Amino acid sequence: MGYATKLVFYIIPLILLMVVVTIFFGQSGVWEDLKETILETKKVAPDLGFGDNELNSSQYLTPKKHRDKIEKLSKLINETMLKEGNTNCFVKGPVFEDLTDGDEKTSFSFVRMPGEKSKLVVHSGAGGKQIDTSMQYEFEGMVPCVIAGSEEITKNFVSRFFTNPSSNGGDYYRPVSAITFSYKEGITTDDGNGISVADFGEDPVNDEGDNMENNGWLFTPGGKQICFFPTNKATNADDDGIDNDFFDNPQVKLCS
């Protein structure tokens, strides 16, 4: 593959990523540093290839405790969840330790790309501003989604899968363009590992800090959409997500 072709191959996805993140991180405040980091990637686009310019183990930016779990999560999605025939089933994924250690921060984002494909981008290092180019993942056919965004969605989900299994009406998940997992400072809740959603602006979900208390559970309605669970601490279902208590020991159908 020639240099010009490689450049086009990398620049096109990066432009879309920049557009999504500009919308997502353009809100102000906590998102400004991450927006600047994404915009910096255009300067190193040719080096962001899969298998090209890989770092050796001594150069890894991402702490091993986070790296191992991000790799496990990616493997679960690709090898277990993205399968035809997986219908309304759940997978127990890894539970992450704090995604911050002083000035060292880790965050990772699932970003939907053209052609029903998603990519995972990992930021690590001082201030969490550097893209870890040794961690590059693609998910063919994956559409990110969340169980959040409206009270109707979360109530329908809780009823259908936790409190009234015979219920099957209404929307119960929402496809989105990008989801980020990071250590968040909550506006209305405690600080902690949290989920942010590109499509929601400053509210819902995005103003919540410690809203990743889902014990690692993921859900797919049809082997294509991969849904994540923002949580709350007091309400069965609202636009910010569903109660973290539902994930203590859920009796659910597991993906095969």
Side-chain angles (χ1 to χ4, degrees), residues 12-98:
I12 292 174
L14 282 166
I15 290 172
L16 177 64
L17 177 59
M18 288 161 56
V19 170
V20 170
V21 174
T22 298
I23 295 171
F24 184 18
F25 296 130
Q27 297 300 322
S28 72
V30 70
W31 307 120
E32 287 301 320
D33 288 343
L34 284 176
K35 181 178 70 173
E36 291 174 6
T37 301
I38 290 291
L39 293 176
E40 283 294 310
T41 64
K42 65 182 179 180
K43 299 178 181 178
V44 294
D47 296 327
L48 295 180
F50 291 86
D52 294 336
N53 303 303
E54 291 186 357
L55 304 176
N56 62 45
S57 59
S58 65
Q59 295 174 300
Y60 289 153
L61 289 170
T62 305
K64 187 176 187 303
K65 63 181 180 180
H66 298 149
R67 168 179 291 274
D68 289 349
K69 292 187 176 181
I70 292 171
E71 289 176 345
K72 180 179 179 180
L73 175 60
S74 300
K75 185 175 181 179
L76 278 173
I77 291 173
N78 264 330
E79 297 183 6
T80 302
M81 301 192 76
L82 291 174
K83 290 182 178 179
E84 186 176 352
N86 275 340
T87 304
N88 291 332
C89 60
F90 293 72
V91 164
K92 176 69 165 66
V95 177
F96 285 83
E97 296 88 350
D98 278 356

Coordinates of all heavy atoms in Angstrom, one line a residue, residues 12-98:
I12 N -9.6 9.4 6.5 CA -11.0 9.4 6.4 C -11.7 9.0 7.7 O -12.5 9.8 8.2 CB -11.5 8.6 5.2 CG1 -11.1 9.2 3.9 CG2 -13.0 8.4 5.3 CD1 -11.4 8.4 2.7
P13 N -11.3 7.9 8.3 CA -11.9 7.6 9.6 C -11.6 8.6 10.7 O -12.4 8.9 11.5 CB -11.2 6.2 10.0 CG -10.8 5.7 8.7 CD -10.4 6.8 7.8
L14 N -10.4 9.2 10.6 CA -10.0 10.2 11.6 C -10.8 11.5 11.5 O -11.2 12.1 12.5 CB -8.5 10.6 11.5 CG -7.6 9.6 12.1 CD1 -6.2 9.8 11.7 CD2 -7.7 9.6 13.7
I15 N -11.2 11.9 10.2 CA -12.0 13.0 10.1 C -13.4 12.8 10.7 O -13.9 13.7 11.4 CB -12.2 13.4 8.6 CG1 -10.8 13.9 8.0 CG2 -13.3 14.4 8.3 CD1 -10.8 14.1 6.5
L16 N -14.0 11.6 10.5 CA -15.3 11.3 11.1 C -15.1 11.3 12.6 O -16.0 11.8 13.3 CB -15.8 9.9 10.6 CG -17.1 9.5 11.2 CD1 -18.2 10.4 10.9 CD2 -17.4 8.1 10.8
L17 N -14.0 10.7 13.1 CA -13.8 10.7 14.5 C -13.7 12.1 15.1 O -14.3 12.4 16.1 CB -12.5 9.9 14.8 CG -12.1 9.8 16.3 CD1 -13.2 9.2 17.1 CD2 -10.8 9.1 16.4
M18 N -13.0 13.0 14.4 CA -12.9 14.3 14.8 C -14.3 15.1 14.8 O -14.6 15.8 15.7 CB -11.9 15.1 13.9 CG -10.5 14.7 14.2 SD -9.4 15.1 12.8 CE -9.7 16.9 12.7
V19 N -15.1 14.8 13.8 CA -16.4 15.4 13.8 C -17.3 15.0 15.0 O -17.9 15.8 15.7 CB -17.1 15.1 12.5 CG1 -18.6 15.5 12.5 CG2 -16.5 15.7 11.3
V20 N -17.3 13.6 15.2 CA -18.0 13.1 16.3 C -17.5 13.7 17.6 O -18.3 14.2 18.5 CB -17.9 11.6 16.4 CG1 -18.5 11.0 17.7 CG2 -18.7 11.0 15.2
V21 N -16.2 13.7 17.8 CA -15.7 14.1 19.1 C -15.8 15.6 19.3 O -16.0 16.1 20.4 CB -14.2 13.7 19.2 CG1 -13.6 14.3 20.5 CG2 -14.1 12.2 19.2
T22 N -15.8 16.4 18.1 CA -16.0 17.8 18.2 C -17.4 18.1 18.8 O -17.6 19.0 19.6 CB -15.8 18.5 16.9 OG1 -14.5 18.3 16.4 CG2 -16.1 20.0 17.0
I23 N -18.4 17.3 18.3 CA -19.7 17.4 18.8 C -19.8 17.0 20.3 O -20.4 17.7 21.1 CB -20.7 16.6 18.0 CG1 -20.8 17.1 16.5 CG2 -22.1 16.6 18.6 CD1 -21.6 16.2 15.6
F24 N -19.2 15.9 20.5 CA -19.2 15.3 21.9 C -18.5 16.2 22.9 O -19.0 16.6 23.9 CB -18.6 13.9 21.8 CG -18.7 13.1 23.1 CD1 -19.5 13.4 24.1 CD2 -17.8 12.0 23.2 CE1 -19.6 12.7 25.3 CE2 -17.9 11.2 24.3 CZ -18.7 11.6 25.4
F25 N -17.2 16.5 22.6 CA -16.3 17.1 23.5 C -16.4 18.7 23.4 O -15.7 19.4 24.1 CB -14.9 16.7 23.3 CG -14.7 15.2 23.6 CD1 -14.1 14.4 22.7 CD2 -15.2 14.6 24.8 CE1 -13.9 13.0 23.0 CE2 -15.0 13.3 25.0 CZ -14.4 12.5 24.1
G26 N -17.2 19.2 22.5 CA -17.3 20.6 22.3 C -18.1 21.3 23.3 O -18.4 22.5 23.2
Q27 N -18.6 20.5 24.3 CA -19.5 21.1 25.3 C -18.9 22.2 26.2 O -19.5 23.1 26.5 CB -20.2 20.0 26.1 CG -21.0 19.0 25.3 CD -22.1 19.6 24.6 OE1 -22.8 20.5 25.2 NE2 -22.4 19.2 23.4
S28 N -17.7 22.0 26.6 CA -16.9 22.9 27.5 C -16.6 22.1 28.7 O -17.0 21.0 29.0 CB -17.7 24.1 27.9 OG -18.8 23.8 28.7
G29 N -15.7 22.8 29.5 CA -15.3 22.2 30.8 C -14.5 21.0 30.7 O -13.4 20.9 30.1
V30 N -15.0 19.9 31.2 CA -14.3 18.7 31.4 C -13.8 18.1 30.1 O -12.9 17.3 30.0 CB -15.1 17.6 32.2 CG1 -16.3 17.1 31.4 CG2 -14.2 16.5 32.7
W31 N -14.5 18.4 29.0 CA -14.2 17.7 27.7 C -13.2 18.4 26.9 O -12.7 17.9 25.9 CB -15.5 17.6 26.8 CG -16.6 17.0 27.5 CD1 -17.9 17.6 27.8 CD2 -16.7 15.7 28.1 NE1 -18.6 16.7 28.5 CE2 -17.9 15.5 28.7 CE3 -15.8 14.6 28.1 CZ2 -18.3 14.3 29.3 CZ3 -16.1 13.5 28.8 CH2 -17.4 13.3 29.4
E32 N -12.7 19.6 27.3 CA -11.8 20.4 26.4 C -10.5 19.7 26.2 O -10.0 19.7 25.1 CB -11.6 21.8 27.0 CG -12.8 22.7 26.9 CD -13.2 22.9 25.5 OE1 -12.3 23.1 24.6 OE2 -14.4 23.0 25.2
D33 N -9.9 19.1 27.2 CA -8.6 18.5 27.1 C -8.7 17.3 26.1 O -7.8 17.1 25.3 CB -8.1 18.0 28.4 CG -7.6 19.2 29.3 OD1 -7.4 20.3 28.7 OD2 -7.5 19.0 30.5
L34 N -9.7 16.5 26.2 CA -9.9 15.4 25.3 C -10.1 15.8 23.9 O -9.6 15.2 23.0 CB -11.0 14.5 25.8 CG -10.7 13.6 27.0 CD1 -11.9 12.8 27.5 CD2 -9.5 12.7 26.8
K35 N -10.8 16.9 23.7 CA -11.1 17.4 22.3 C -9.7 17.8 21.7 O -9.5 17.4 20.6 CB -12.0 18.6 22.4 CG -12.3 19.1 21.0 CD -13.3 20.3 21.0 CE -12.6 21.5 21.6 NZ -13.5 22.7 21.5
E36 N -8.9 18.4 22.5 CA -7.6 18.9 21.9 C -6.8 17.6 21.6 O -6.0 17.6 20.6 CB -6.9 19.7 23.0 CG -7.5 21.1 23.1 CD -6.9 21.9 24.3 OE1 -5.9 21.4 24.8 OE2 -7.4 23.0 24.6
T37 N -6.8 16.6 22.4 CA -6.1 15.4 22.2 C -6.5 14.7 20.9 O -5.6 14.3 20.0 CB -6.2 14.4 23.3 OG1 -5.8 15.0 24.5 CG2 -5.4 13.1 23.1
I38 N -7.8 14.6 20.6 CA -8.3 14.0 19.4 C -7.8 14.9 18.2 O -7.4 14.3 17.2 CB -9.8 13.9 19.4 CG1 -10.2 12.9 20.4 CG2 -10.3 13.6 18.0 CD1 -9.9 11.4 20.0
L39 N -7.9 16.2 18.3 CA -7.5 17.0 17.2 C -6.0 16.9 16.8 O -5.6 17.0 15.7 CB -7.9 18.5 17.5 CG -9.3 18.8 17.6 CD1 -9.6 20.2 18.0 CD2 -10.1 18.5 16.3
E40 N -5.2 16.5 17.8 CA -3.8 16.3 17.6 C -3.5 15.1 16.8 O -2.5 15.0 16.1 CB -3.1 16.2 19.0 CG -2.9 17.5 19.7 CD -1.9 18.4 18.9 OE1 -0.8 18.0 18.5 OE2 -2.3 19.6 18.7
T41 N -4.5 14.1 16.7 CA -4.2 12.9 16.0 C -4.0 13.2 14.5 O -3.4 12.4 13.8 CB -5.4 11.9 16.2 OG1 -6.6 12.4 15.6 CG2 -5.5 11.6 17.6
K42 N -4.6 14.2 14.0 CA -4.4 14.5 12.5 C -3.0 14.7 12.1 O -2.6 14.5 11.0 CB -5.3 15.7 12.1 CG -4.8 17.0 12.7 CD -5.8 18.1 12.3 CE -5.4 19.5 12.9 NZ -6.3 20.5 12.5
K43 N -2.1 15.1 13.1 CA -0.7 15.3 12.8 C 0.1 14.0 12.7 O 1.2 14.0 12.2 CB -0.1 16.2 13.9 CG -0.8 17.6 14.1 CD -0.1 18.3 15.2 CE -0.8 19.7 15.4 NZ -0.2 20.5 16.5
V44 N -0.5 12.9 13.3 CA 0.2 11.7 13.3 C -0.6 10.6 12.6 O -0.4 9.4 12.8 CB 0.6 11.2 14.7 CG1 1.6 12.2 15.3 CG2 -0.7 11.1 15.6
A45 N -1.5 11.0 11.7 CA -2.4 10.0 11.1 C -1.7 8.8 10.5 O -2.1 7.7 10.7 CB -3.3 10.7 10.1
P46 N -0.6 9.0 9.7 CA 0.0 7.8 9.1 C 0.5 6.8 10.1 O 0.8 5.6 9.7 CB 1.1 8.4 8.3 CG 0.7 9.8 8.0 CD 0.0 10.2 9.3
D47 N 0.7 7.2 11.3 CA 1.3 6.3 12.3 C 0.2 5.5 13.1 O 0.6 4.8 14.0 CB 2.2 7.0 13.3 CG 3.4 7.7 12.6 OD1 3.9 7.0 11.7 OD2 3.8 8.7 13.1
L48 N -1.0 5.7 12.8 CA -2.1 5.1 13.6 C -2.6 3.8 12.9 O -3.8 3.5 13.0 CB -3.2 6.1 13.8 CG -2.9 7.3 14.7 CD1 -4.1 8.2 14.8 CD2 -2.4 6.9 16.0
G49 N -1.8 3.1 12.2 CA -2.2 1.9 11.5 C -2.3 0.7 12.4 O -1.7 0.7 13.5
F50 N -3.1 -0.3 11.9 CA -3.2 -1.6 12.7 C -2.0 -2.4 12.3 O -1.8 -2.8 11.1 CB -4.5 -2.3 12.3 CG -5.6 -1.6 12.9 CD1 -6.2 -0.5 12.1 CD2 -6.2 -1.9 14.1 CE1 -7.3 0.1 12.6 CE2 -7.2 -1.2 14.6 CZ -7.8 -0.2 13.9
G51 N -1.1 -2.7 13.2 CA 0.1 -3.5 13.0 C 1.3 -2.6 12.6 O 2.4 -3.1 12.5
D52 N 1.1 -1.4 12.2 CA 2.3 -0.5 11.9 C 2.7 0.3 13.1 O 2.0 0.7 13.9 CB 1.8 0.5 10.8 CG 1.5 -0.2 9.5 OD1 2.0 -1.3 9.3 OD2 0.7 0.4 8.7
N53 N 4.1 0.5 13.2 CA 4.7 1.3 14.2 C 4.2 0.9 15.6 O 3.9 1.7 16.4 CB 4.3 2.8 14.0 CG 4.8 3.2 12.6 OD1 6.0 3.1 12.3 ND2 3.9 3.7 11.8
E54 N 4.1 -0.4 15.9 CA 3.6 -0.9 17.2 C 4.7 -0.6 18.2 O 5.9 -0.6 18.0 CB 3.3 -2.4 17.1 CG 2.1 -2.7 16.3 CD 1.7 -4.2 16.4 OE1 2.5 -4.9 17.1 OE2 0.7 -4.6 15.8
L55 N 4.2 -0.2 19.4 CA 5.1 0.0 20.5 C 5.5 -1.3 21.2 O 4.7 -2.2 21.2 CB 4.4 0.9 21.6 CG 3.9 2.3 21.1 CD1 3.2 3.0 22.2 CD2 5.0 3.1 20.5
N56 N 6.7 -1.4 21.7 CA 7.0 -2.6 22.5 C 6.5 -2.5 23.9 O 6.0 -1.4 24.3 CB 8.5 -2.9 22.5 CG 9.3 -1.8 23.1 OD1 9.0 -1.3 24.2 ND2 10.4 -1.4 22.5
S57 N 6.6 -3.5 24.7 CA 5.9 -3.5 26.0 C 6.5 -2.4 26.9 O 5.8 -2.0 27.8 CB 6.1 -4.9 26.7 OG 7.5 -5.2 26.8
S58 N 7.7 -2.0 26.8 CA 8.3 -1.0 27.6 C 7.8 0.4 27.3 O 8.0 1.3 28.0 CB 9.8 -1.0 27.5 OG 10.2 -0.7 26.2
Q59 N 7.1 0.5 26.1 CA 6.6 1.8 25.7 C 5.1 2.0 25.9 O 4.5 3.0 25.5 CB 6.9 2.0 24.2 CG 8.4 2.1 23.9 CD 8.7 2.1 22.4 OE1 8.3 1.2 21.7 NE2 9.3 3.2 21.9
Y60 N 4.4 1.0 26.4 CA 3.0 1.0 26.6 C 2.6 2.2 27.5 O 3.2 2.4 28.5 CB 2.4 -0.2 27.2 CG 2.5 -1.4 26.3 CD1 2.5 -2.7 26.8 CD2 2.4 -1.3 24.9 CE1 2.5 -3.8 26.0 CE2 2.4 -2.4 24.1 CZ 2.5 -3.7 24.6 OH 2.5 -4.8 23.8
L61 N 1.6 3.0 27.0 CA 1.2 4.1 27.8 C 0.1 3.6 28.9 O 0.1 4.1 30.0 CB 0.5 5.1 26.9 CG 1.4 5.9 26.0 CD1 0.6 6.7 25.0 CD2 2.3 6.9 26.8
T62 N -0.7 2.7 28.5 CA -1.8 2.3 29.3 C -1.4 1.3 30.4 O -0.7 0.3 30.1 CB -2.9 1.6 28.5 OG1 -3.3 2.5 27.4 CG2 -4.1 1.3 29.3
P63 N -1.7 1.6 31.7 CA -1.4 0.6 32.8 C -1.9 -0.8 32.5 O -3.0 -0.9 31.9 CB -2.1 1.2 34.0 CG -2.3 2.7 33.7 CD -2.5 2.7 32.2
K64 N -1.1 -1.8 32.9 CA -1.4 -3.1 32.6 C -2.8 -3.5 33.1 O -3.6 -4.2 32.5 CB -0.4 -4.1 33.2 CG -0.6 -5.6 32.8 CD 0.5 -6.4 33.3 CE 0.4 -7.8 32.7 NZ -0.9 -8.5 33.0
K65 N -3.2 -3.0 34.3 CA -4.5 -3.4 34.9 C -5.6 -2.9 34.0 O -6.7 -3.5 34.0 CB -4.6 -2.8 36.3 CG -4.6 -1.3 36.4 CD -4.7 -0.8 37.8 CE -4.7 0.7 37.9 NZ -4.8 1.2 39.3
H66 N -5.4 -1.8 33.3 CA -6.5 -1.3 32.4 C -6.3 -2.0 31.0 O -7.3 -2.3 30.4 CB -6.4 0.2 32.2 CG -6.6 1.0 33.5 ND1 -6.0 2.2 33.8 CD2 -7.4 0.7 34.6 CE1 -6.4 2.6 34.9 NE2 -7.3 1.7 35.5
R67 N -5.1 -2.1 30.6 CA -4.8 -2.7 29.3 C -5.5 -4.1 29.2 O -6.1 -4.5 28.2 CB -3.3 -2.8 29.0 CG -2.9 -3.7 27.8 CD -1.4 -3.7 27.7 NE -1.0 -2.4 27.2 CZ -0.9 -2.0 25.9 NH1 -1.3 -2.9 25.0 NH2 -0.5 -0.8 25.6
D68 N -5.2 -4.9 30.2 CA -5.7 -6.3 30.2 C -7.2 -6.3 30.1 O -7.8 -7.2 29.4 CB -5.3 -7.0 31.5 CG -3.8 -7.4 31.4 OD1 -3.1 -7.2 30.4 OD2 -3.2 -7.8 32.5
K69 N -7.9 -5.4 30.8 CA -9.4 -5.5 30.8 C -10.0 -4.9 29.6 O -11.0 -5.3 29.1 CB -9.9 -4.8 32.1 CG -9.5 -5.5 33.3 CD -10.1 -5.0 34.6 CE -9.8 -5.9 35.8 NZ -10.4 -5.4 37.0
I70 N -9.3 -3.9 29.0 CA -9.8 -3.4 27.7 C -9.6 -4.5 26.6 O -10.5 -4.7 25.8 CB -9.0 -2.1 27.3 CG1 -9.3 -0.9 28.2 CG2 -9.3 -1.7 25.8 CD1 -8.5 0.3 28.0
E71 N -8.5 -5.2 26.7 CA -8.3 -6.3 25.7 C -9.4 -7.4 25.9 O -9.9 -7.9 25.0 CB -6.9 -6.9 25.8 CG -5.9 -5.9 25.3 CD -4.5 -6.4 25.5 OE1 -4.3 -7.4 26.3 OE2 -3.5 -5.9 24.9
K72 N -9.7 -7.7 27.2 CA -10.7 -8.7 27.5 C -12.1 -8.3 27.0 O -12.8 -9.0 26.4 CB -10.8 -9.0 29.0 CG -11.8 -10.0 29.4 CD -11.8 -10.3 30.9 CE -12.8 -11.4 31.2 NZ -12.9 -11.6 32.7
L73 N -12.4 -7.0 27.2 CA -13.7 -6.5 26.8 C -13.8 -6.5 25.3 O -14.8 -6.9 24.7 CB -13.8 -5.0 27.3 CG -15.1 -4.2 26.8 CD1 -16.3 -4.9 27.2 CD2 -15.0 -2.8 27.3
S74 N -12.8 -6.1 24.6 CA -12.8 -6.2 23.1 C -12.9 -7.6 22.6 O -13.7 -7.8 21.6 CB -11.5 -5.6 22.6 OG -11.3 -4.2 23.0
K75 N -12.3 -8.5 23.2 CA -12.4 -9.9 22.8 C -13.8 -10.5 23.0 O -14.4 -11.2 22.2 CB -11.4 -10.8 23.6 CG -11.3 -12.2 23.1 CD -10.2 -13.0 23.8 CE -10.1 -14.4 23.4 NZ -9.0 -15.2 24.0
L76 N -14.4 -10.1 24.2 CA -15.8 -10.5 24.4 C -16.7 -10.0 23.4 O -17.6 -10.8 22.9 CB -16.2 -10.1 25.8 CG -15.8 -10.9 27.0 CD1 -16.2 -10.1 28.3 CD2 -16.4 -12.2 27.0
I77 N -16.6 -8.8 23.0 CA -17.5 -8.2 22.0 C -17.3 -8.9 20.7 O -18.3 -9.3 20.0 CB -17.2 -6.7 21.9 CG1 -17.7 -6.0 23.1 CG2 -18.0 -6.1 20.7 CD1 -17.3 -4.5 23.2
N78 N -16.1 -9.1 20.2 CA -15.8 -9.6 18.9 C -16.1 -11.1 18.8 O -16.7 -11.6 17.8 CB -14.4 -9.4 18.5 CG -14.2 -8.1 17.6 OD1 -15.1 -7.8 16.9 ND2 -13.1 -7.5 17.7
E79 N -15.8 -11.9 19.9 CA -15.9 -13.3 19.8 C -17.1 -13.9 20.4 O -17.5 -15.0 20.1 CB -14.6 -14.0 20.5 CG -13.3 -13.6 19.8 CD -12.1 -14.3 20.4 OE1 -12.3 -15.1 21.3 OE2 -11.0 -14.0 20.0
T80 N -17.8 -13.2 21.3 CA -19.0 -13.7 21.9 C -20.3 -13.0 21.6 O -21.3 -13.6 21.3 CB -18.8 -13.7 23.5 OG1 -17.6 -14.4 23.8 CG2 -20.0 -14.3 24.2
M81 N -20.2 -11.7 21.5 CA -21.4 -10.9 21.3 C -21.8 -10.7 19.9 O -23.0 -10.7 19.5 CB -21.3 -9.6 22.1 CG -21.1 -9.7 23.5 SD -21.3 -8.2 24.5 CE -23.1 -8.1 24.5
L82 N -20.9 -10.4 19.0 CA -21.2 -10.1 17.6 C -21.4 -11.4 16.8 O -20.6 -11.8 15.9 CB -20.0 -9.3 17.0 CG -19.9 -7.9 17.5 CD1 -18.7 -7.2 16.9 CD2 -21.1 -7.0 17.2
K83 N -22.5 -12.1 17.1 CA -22.8 -13.3 16.5 C -24.3 -13.3 16.0 O -25.2 -12.9 16.8 CB -22.6 -14.5 17.4 CG -21.2 -14.8 17.7 CD -21.1 -16.1 18.6 CE -19.6 -16.5 18.9 NZ -19.6 -17.7 19.7
E84 N -24.5 -13.8 14.8 CA -25.9 -13.9 14.4 C -26.6 -14.9 15.3 O -26.0 -16.0 15.6 CB -26.0 -14.4 13.0 CG -27.4 -14.5 12.4 CD -27.3 -14.9 10.9 OE1 -26.2 -14.9 10.3 OE2 -28.4 -15.1 10.3
G85 N -27.8 -14.7 15.8 CA -28.5 -15.6 16.6 C -28.5 -15.1 18.1 O -29.3 -15.6 18.9
N86 N -27.6 -14.2 18.4 CA -27.6 -13.6 19.8 C -28.8 -12.6 19.9 O -28.7 -11.5 19.3 CB -26.3 -12.9 20.1 CG -25.2 -13.9 20.6 OD1 -25.5 -15.0 21.1 ND2 -24.0 -13.5 20.5
T87 N -29.8 -13.0 20.6 CA -31.0 -12.1 20.7 C -31.3 -11.9 22.2 O -31.5 -12.8 22.9 CB -32.2 -12.8 20.0 OG1 -31.9 -13.1 18.7 CG2 -33.4 -11.9 20.1
N88 N -31.3 -10.6 22.5 CA -31.7 -10.2 23.9 C -30.9 -11.0 24.9 O -31.5 -11.5 25.8 CB -33.2 -10.3 24.1 CG -34.0 -9.3 23.3 OD1 -33.5 -8.2 23.0 ND2 -35.2 -9.6 22.9
C89 N -29.6 -11.0 24.8 CA -28.8 -11.7 25.7 C -27.7 -10.8 26.3 O -27.4 -9.8 25.8 CB -28.1 -13.0 25.1 SG -27.1 -12.6 23.7
F90 N -27.1 -11.3 27.4 CA -26.2 -10.6 28.3 C -24.8 -11.3 28.3 O -24.7 -12.5 28.2 CB -26.7 -10.4 29.7 CG -28.0 -9.6 29.8 CD1 -29.2 -10.1 29.4 CD2 -27.9 -8.3 30.4 CE1 -30.4 -9.3 29.5 CE2 -29.1 -7.6 30.6 CZ -30.3 -8.1 30.1
V91 N -23.8 -10.5 28.6 CA -22.4 -11.0 28.8 C -21.9 -10.3 30.0 O -22.0 -9.0 30.1 CB -21.5 -10.8 27.6 CG1 -20.1 -11.0 27.9 CG2 -21.9 -11.8 26.5
K92 N -21.2 -11.0 30.9 CA -20.5 -10.4 32.0 C -19.1 -10.1 31.6 O -18.3 -10.9 31.3 CB -20.5 -11.4 33.2 CG -19.7 -10.9 34.4 CD -20.4 -9.8 35.1 CE -19.9 -9.5 36.5 NZ -18.5 -9.0 36.5
G93 N -18.8 -8.8 31.5 CA -17.5 -8.3 31.1 C -16.6 -7.9 32.3 O -17.0 -8.1 33.5
P94 N -15.4 -7.3 32.1 CA -14.6 -7.0 33.2 C -15.1 -5.7 34.0 O -15.8 -4.9 33.4 CB -13.2 -6.7 32.5 CG -13.6 -6.3 31.1 CD -14.8 -7.1 30.8
V95 N -14.7 -5.7 35.2 CA -15.0 -4.5 36.1 C -13.7 -3.7 36.2 O -12.7 -4.3 36.6 CB -15.5 -4.9 37.4 CG1 -15.8 -3.7 38.3 CG2 -16.8 -5.7 37.3
F96 N -13.7 -2.4 35.9 CA -12.5 -1.6 35.9 C -12.2 -1.0 37.2 O -13.1 -0.5 37.9 CB -12.6 -0.6 34.8 CG -12.5 -1.1 33.4 CD1 -13.5 -1.7 32.7 CD2 -11.2 -1.0 32.8 CE1 -13.4 -2.1 31.5 CE2 -11.1 -1.5 31.5 CZ -12.2 -2.1 30.8
E97 N -10.9 -1.0 37.6 CA -10.5 -0.2 38.7 C -10.6 1.2 38.3 O -10.8 1.6 37.1 CB -9.0 -0.6 39.1 CG -8.8 -2.0 39.6 CD -8.6 -3.0 38.5 OE1 -8.7 -2.6 37.3 OE2 -8.2 -4.1 38.8
D98 N -10.3 2.2 39.3 CA -10.4 3.6 38.9 C -9.5 3.9 37.7 O -8.4 3.4 37.6 CB -9.8 4.4 40.1 CG -10.9 4.7 41.1 OD1 -12.0 4.2 40.9 OD2 -10.6 5.3 42.2

